[in-house]
Amino acid sequence: MRGGERTERQCKADRKAARKADWEARKAEWRVAEKARKARGEAPDYGSGPMGPPNAFTLLPWLLLGMGAISNIVHGETPNPWVGAAGLLAFNSLYVTLVFRAFHKEAREAAATRWCLAALAAVTCAMAGAYGDDWLLFFPLLGLATGAVVRGRRLGPVMFAVTAVAGVVSGLHEGWDALGIVYGTFLSGMVTAAILALAETVRELRETRQELARAAVDQERLRFSRDLHDLLGHTLSVIVVKSEAARRIAPRDMGAALGQVRDIEAVGRQALTEIREAVTGYREASLATELDRARAALTAAGIEPVVRQSGPPLPPQTAALLGWVVREAATNAVRHSGASGCEIELHGTAERARLVITDDGAGVGSAPAGSGLTGLRERLAASGGTLAAGPVPGGGFRVTAELPVERTGHEHGDGES
């Protein structure tokens, strides 16, 4: 006897250990999958864990509440058992149809689903009203199906109607004992609706996170392509201009030519540093640095630069954006304008900063608003600013950028060079 008890206990312990091992294995597999998703840059999938989100199959076991009615039919305790069996078959078929349609929005909101729910309510009322006893337990199942199918503001009135009908029908058979059926009907419907609404909200939030993650990746790619275009366009233009200058003056003055070559080397090293910083996302264009580089590039190309600044110091973010504009406009002037002079005017107030870059080139030969200016226009628009570029009447090309300013200081300065 004791040996048999030990064997039974051992079997129970083995089954429990097997269930625990299976749970741990599923959990470990889910963690490995999540690590792989993270390595690919994807958002976590909180709905694919060992438990998973609710689905139609999670609502099917509740049909076991009808086992009492089946027992009554089998033992001959139900009058007209063939009618009862037909009603039970109809109820189960309608219930299964409804719970599977409840998890698809288009099917849930279709007119056919509402007719199925009405038919389920009619079958429930007919069978429970005719037989009572265990058949009254179909009302909680009707409440559960109602909570799965009906959502939003319509749920409250519909559930109150279902609960009221359950109370009347069960009250005729059970009297005050029908309160349990009424409570079960109302609670099953409302709890089911709340759980399914929460599951849908979690799923939508997860999809939103994944979409935001994809948008962030696309935005970073766009940022890098813009930075790389601006960095290489300006750097290569300066290298080309200085190389041409070195070639022209080498026969006359080798020392000056070597100076131009040293400048080319310095520009190349600086470009390598800037590209590394752009890749890591740490680089911000400095307005003062870009103005100095614009002067040097324009001078090397034989274009006389004139820089005018007025107004208070600009916040770092505003200055960085305008620095990119200076870089792109100076690069276009060097490469395309054929100008003899270029004016850069920066005027800031407490509310806005305005940057105007004008060259006196041929106008038609000046660069149109290509990909560089298009990218700058998008950058400034994201910060509430504007960028306009186009030929100047009478010849030349002008780039005008305006940005809102949040004041961080009160210093003013004016200068011209």
Side-chain angles (χ1 to χ4, degrees):
M1 188 67 179
R2 292 180 179 176
E5 291 179 356
R6 283 196 298 269
T7 302
E8 185 178 354
R9 291 177 182 175
Q10 184 64 36
C11 290
K12 290 182 178 179
D14 291 342
R15 287 194 296 269
K16 184 177 180 180
R19 288 195 299 269
K20 184 176 180 180
D22 180 66
W23 170 263
E24 294 295 336
R26 292 172 63 191
K27 187 163 62 173
E29 182 180 354
W30 178 70
R31 288 175 177 172
V32 170
E34 285 304 297
K35 288 182 180 179
R37 291 175 63 86
K38 185 176 181 181
R40 295 193 299 268
E42 299 178 3
D45 186 5
Y46 296 111
S48 62
M51 295 300 292
N55 53 50
F57 292 101
T58 61
L59 301 181
L60 294 182
W62 292 103
L63 284 173
L64 294 175
L65 287 174
M67 290 300 295
I70 296 176
S71 178
N72 290 342
I73 294 175
V74 172
H75 291 91
E77 299 174 2
T78 301
N80 300 317
W82 291 107
V83 175
L88 185 61
L89 178 61
F91 181 92
N92 290 340
S93 300
L94 291 170
Y95 178 87
V96 172
T97 301
L98 284 171
V99 296
F100 274 97
R101 294 177 70 88
F103 288 88
H104 302 278
K105 185 176 181 181
E106 294 79 6
R108 184 174 66 241
E109 296 176 352
T113 303
R114 294 194 294 270
W115 283 110
C116 284
L117 184 60
L120 184 68
V123 171
T124 303
C125 292
M127 304 307 293
Y131 297 123
D133 197 17
D134 291 331
W135 294 82
L136 296 175
L137 293 176
F138 287 115
F139 275 113
L141 287 174
L142 174 61
L144 192 149
T146 302
V149 172
V150 182
R151 307 290 175 85
R153 296 180 178 179
R154 296 180 299 171
L155 177 63
V158 173
M159 278 307 305
F160 276 113
V162 171
T163 305
V165 173
V168 172
V169 175
S170 58
L172 294 176
H173 288 276
E174 304 292 336
W176 288 104
D177 292 337
L179 290 177
I181 299 296
V182 173
Y183 178 74
T185 301
F186 181 78
L187 190 65
S188 63
M190 299 305 291
V191 170
T192 300
I195 292 176
L196 296 185
L198 179 61
E200 287 191 356
T201 301
V202 171
R203 177 180 57 80
E204 291 174 358
L205 289 175
R206 185 169 66 249
E207 293 175 352
T208 302
R209 288 190 61 178
Q210 292 174 349
E211 185 63 30
L212 289 175
R214 287 192 292 268
V217 172
D218 293 341
Q219 187 65 26
E220 182 62 16
R221 289 173 178 170
L222 182 60
R223 178 201 68 81
F224 179 71
S225 64
R226 288 172 176 171
D227 287 359
L228 196 61
H229 172 274
D230 295 342
L231 290 171
L232 292 182
H234 176 80
T235 300
L236 294 177
S237 297
V238 173
I239 290 176
V240 169
V241 169
K242 286 188 171 292
S243 298
E244 292 176 348
R247 176 176 53 81
R248 288 196 305 269
I249 65 177
R252 303 191 306 271
D253 189 344
M254 184 58 66
L258 291 177
Q260 295 291 336
V261 172
R262 285 192 294 270
D263 290 344
I264 294 173
E265 180 183 2
V267 169
R269 293 182 183 277
Q270 182 63 31
L272 289 175
T273 301
E274 292 177 347
I275 290 174
R276 293 191 187 101
E277 292 174 349
V279 170
T280 55
Y282 292 125
R283 185 181 190 278
E284 287 292 348
S286 168
L287 180 58
T289 301
E290 296 302 337
L291 287 173
D292 291 339
R293 291 179 180 175
R295 286 193 189 96
L298 292 169
T299 301
I303 302 174
E304 182 180 357
V306 177
V307 179
R308 299 186 179 91
Q309 294 178 260
S310 63
L314 299 176
Q317 183 178 5
T318 303
L321 286 172
L322 294 180
W324 285 112
V325 177
V326 170
R327 171 184 281 261
E328 180 66 23
T331 301
N332 286 340
V334 169
R335 294 171 58 185
H336 305 289
S337 71
S340 60
C342 180
E343 294 185 0
I344 303 175
E345 300 181 57
L346 175 62
H347 176 67
T349 65
E351 292 80 21
R352 298 187 69 84
R354 177 183 173 87
L355 174 67
V356 181
I357 302 174
T358 308
D359 66 63
D360 60 357
V364 176
S366 295
S371 59
L373 291 177
T374 301
L376 286 174
R377 185 177 290 109
E378 294 173 356
R379 286 193 189 190
L380 267 64
S383 298
T386 60
L387 179 72
V392 178
F397 195 80
R398 176 175 297 151
V399 176
T400 303
E402 293 191 26
L403 272 174
V405 174
E406 295 182 3
R407 295 302 333 137
T408 57
H410 301 282
E411 296 181 5
H412 293 260
D414 297 276
E416 179 174 340
S417 63

